[in-house]
Amino acid sequence: MNGPDQFQTALTGLQLPDEWQIAVVIRPRRRSVGLEVRPGGAVAVLIPPTADPEQVARFVRSHRRWITEKVGTAARLAPDHPVKEFVDGEKFDLLGQRYQLHLVDAPPASVEQLPIVKADHVLYARRQRPEEVRRAIIGLYRQKGLAWARREGRRYELDGRIEDLSYAVRDLGRRRWGIYERPPKHTTTLHWAVFGLPMPLIEYVLVHEQAHATRPPGRAHGPAWQRQIDSWMPDRQQRKIELAEAGRHAWLGDWKPRS
């Protein structure tokens, strides 16, 4: 059995581009050499424990053009999520509207609770530590988003004969925009960050999960599910493509502490 260093040495002799960030990963169950280009452009060479370093080097050399194309695509599609500082004038998108953050020491006239968004496209939040402003704004996204989901989801409940469905809005990590949880939960759950996307994409995520909530027979995204979502949203394939691009730039809660 060869160690990772021997394989890395063999690959170094190929003078591969530095931006490939190439790494050797030994997989005990693999029987042949393989390649994996990860988000952002990192390249993993997947090898069985019995592989020969020179054989691995030849394999990588023969796939150089393929790696070049895939790394370029991965780099173009790499996430570029904004990082907020929670300062006056910072922009926040919520349910298809853009708001400027305005930090205040006390609520404006006729306002009982902060944070709040107003018709003048201002998001008022209490002046406090950045992490607390962040928590409050995410709470606002959850509150507004849940009210929207319950309201807009009702039409699909009626049309799809969905009964006793619950809704939730919470953090679903960095890979999911929504999930449908089967009974006994029977819940459509949306990521709070969804509500910072353009409205057609928010609608797409909701409809995607509502189609699951009809509990169609067969595979999760099989023919029955596809027929259901297509009946509600004929352009859902285009919206899916747009979501992949817009999602790369969505705010997922990242923030920069003030120095």
Side-chain angles (χ1 to χ4, degrees):
M1 179 186 295
N2 295 296
D5 290 346
Q6 292 176 282
F7 293 105
Q8 206 71 50
T9 299
L11 294 176
T12 300
L14 299 178
Q15 298 182 330
L16 302 173
D18 292 337
E19 61 268 21
W20 283 7
Q21 305 172 49
I22 198 160
V24 174
V25 181
I26 298 176
R27 293 279 175 84
R29 296 185 180 181
R30 284 196 70 91
R31 295 185 178 181
S32 60
V33 182
L35 292 167
E36 182 179 89
V37 178
R38 294 170 176 170
V43 181
V45 183
L46 312 176
I47 62 174
T50 56
D52 175 73
E54 290 305 317
Q55 172 198 3
V56 172
R58 288 194 297 271
F59 178 86
V60 172
R61 184 189 298 114
S62 68
H63 288 77
R64 190 172 184 132
R65 177 177 294 180
W66 182 89
I67 297 173
T68 299
E69 293 175 355
K70 295 299 182 182
V71 167
T73 299
R76 288 196 305 275
L77 299 179
D80 184 24
H81 302 297
V83 178
K84 302 293 188 181
E85 296 186 56
F86 307 107
V87 296
D88 280 321
E90 200 162 30
K91 305 288 196 307
F92 289 85
D93 294 317
L94 176 58
L95 289 170
Q97 300 291 323
R98 175 159 292 181
Y99 299 92
Q100 279 195 332
L101 178 62
H102 183 46
L103 299 171
V104 295
D105 296 313
S110 75
V111 172
E112 296 181 359
Q113 185 176 344
L114 294 174
I116 191 171
V117 290
K118 302 290 283 182
D120 57 0
H121 291 272
V122 175
L123 192 171
Y124 291 95
R126 190 176 302 279
R127 193 186 312 278
Q128 51 193 334
R129 295 200 306 270
E131 58 268 31
E132 294 173 338
V133 179
R134 173 186 179 275
R135 188 180 303 114
I137 291 176
I138 290 176
L140 179 67
Y141 275 67
R142 294 182 63 174
Q143 172 196 339
K144 294 289 187 181
L146 183 58
W148 180 91
R150 286 172 172 164
R151 182 178 67 252
E152 296 299 320
R154 183 62 180 157
R155 58 178 286 204
Y156 302 105
E157 292 178 52
L158 295 173
D159 188 74
R161 299 180 180 178
I162 306 169
E163 297 182 352
D164 302 318
L165 182 68
S166 298
Y167 294 88
V169 174
R170 57 186 173 87
D171 194 321
L172 293 178
R174 304 179 83 85
R175 293 183 178 274
R176 286 183 168 181
W177 294 114
I179 57 173
Y180 166 68
E181 298 172 278
R182 300 178 67 85
K185 290 188 175 181
H186 191 39
T187 301
T188 288
T189 301
L190 304 183
H191 196 312
W192 66 262
V194 161
F195 301 102
L197 295 170
M199 283 303 304
L201 306 184
I202 302 174
E203 293 165 355
Y204 166 74
V205 175
L206 174 66
V207 172
H208 181 114
E209 303 309 334
Q210 295 297 78
H212 284 303
T214 64
R215 300 170 66 190
R219 292 179 290 109
H221 295 104
W225 176 86
Q226 292 178 35
R227 285 193 296 272
Q228 182 63 72
I229 189 172
D230 286 341
S231 72
W232 286 339
M233 187 170 283
D235 65 342
R236 57 107 175 176
Q237 290 286 12
Q238 180 60 36
R239 296 197 198 201
K240 180 180 179 180
I241 293 170
E242 293 173 7
L243 176 61
E245 174 60 24
R248 294 174 50 228
H249 308 288
W251 181 51
L252 298 182
D254 297 330
W255 66 290
K256 177 182 178 182
R258 296 175 201 160
S259 55

